[in-house]
Amino acid sequence: MPHRLLTGAPRTASVAVVALLAAALTAAPSDPAHAFTGDNHENITRAALPWEPITLTAMADAHDGAVNADDRRPYFDVGPLHCDNADYLGPRYATDYPRTRDEATTELLACIRTSVTRFRNAVRAADGLVDADGKVRADQSDLSSPCTWDGRPGRAKCAVLEQLGRGWHPIEDFYSHSNWSDRAAPGPIGLDNPPGLEHKGLAPFLDIRRYSTMTDADWTREASARIPADLATGCYTDIDSTGVKPPDCDGRVPHNQVLNKDTAASARSRTGDNFHRATAGATAEITRQWNDFTTELLRTYPEHRRGAQMICALSHDDPATDCP
């Protein structure tokens, strides 16, 4: 997977990592994983979306929902699908930190890129929800049998939910895995206590809809300029986007026991209201992402109110009846 650094110089992942990332987009899920817990992902997603209950469960369920599908192997093992490994400490906190700001930004851009790709895929898949005249296709919007989040062709509604869920998972994880909204604990700043940025608003570099309409070179340049110098996510022993990370996190800000806020009991969660900040930020972000997705459907499919019918089909449990 190619990436562009802040400097504009290209950087390419190893063949092995490219193969692993490709497999993660097609392989079937199997094992539990490492981020906000499934229950927390469920709570965030349910709070964010004004959907009817069956459809909302298909998206949010802690065990079988689309938003939790990335927390299964092989998806679990791919750092960009969880916004891992964008760790960094500036020179005023640590001399000779083993990852540069540009390298950390490359990893964060890889995470954002997964959501941009999923957004584009979801917009295309939505075309199958309604016919050319704007009538909801009952066979393509039915959820009477469970969706399977395996990337294989199937009902259009399942396809859209899978793409959205897999694109929203890393976005939710960003708020848990980064120092965007949290506070550092009292005491010296360093590997065991990275700085907290304490932002209350949404991250401007997660403007997924805007980026989906731009070339990759243009949006990565724009997103890079919006990333704060001290932003970091934790180092985790999964596969990073470049394939050059050592097999451990020695000498780096770790995900485990330091930066993550995956549960209320996590070490970083216990400083102030850090866990609430992470969950509130993720919830507001998914509300933004859903609203932006509906805006893009209306823009892309204006004829015969097709975009509006797609939105209705995605948010209702019986759209063939409720979206005349």
Side-chain angles (χ1 to χ4, degrees), residues 142-184:
D142 175 53
L143 291 183
S144 60
S145 61
C147 299
T148 55
W149 315 123
D150 56 10
R152 298 170 184 169
R155 287 161 286 168
K157 186 166 182 174
C158 293
V160 176
L161 294 181
E162 179 169 13
Q163 295 301 318
L164 289 178
R166 291 194 185 278
W168 289 347
H169 183 97
I171 291 174
E172 292 184 6
D173 276 356
F174 167 79
Y175 286 89
S176 169
H177 294 183
S178 78
N179 63 346
W180 171 258
S181 64
D182 68 15
R183 300 172 180 170

Side-chain angles (χ1 to χ4, degrees), residues 116-127:
V116 172
T117 299
R118 295 298 189 179
F119 187 101
R120 291 169 175 162
N121 291 347
V123 171
R124 287 193 292 268
D127 190 33

Side-chain angles (χ1 to χ4, degrees), residues 42 103 142-143 162 185-186 219 244 291 305:
E42 177 169 0
E103 289 170 331
D142 175 53
L143 291 183
E162 179 169 13
W219 78 252
V244 298
N291 289 339
R305 299 186 67 252

Side-chain angles (χ1 to χ4, degrees), residues 123-141:
V123 171
R124 287 193 292 268
D127 190 33
L129 288 166
V130 301
D131 66 18
D133 296 321
K135 182 179 180 181
V136 171
R137 298 177 60 186
D139 62 321
Q140 293 299 309
S141 58

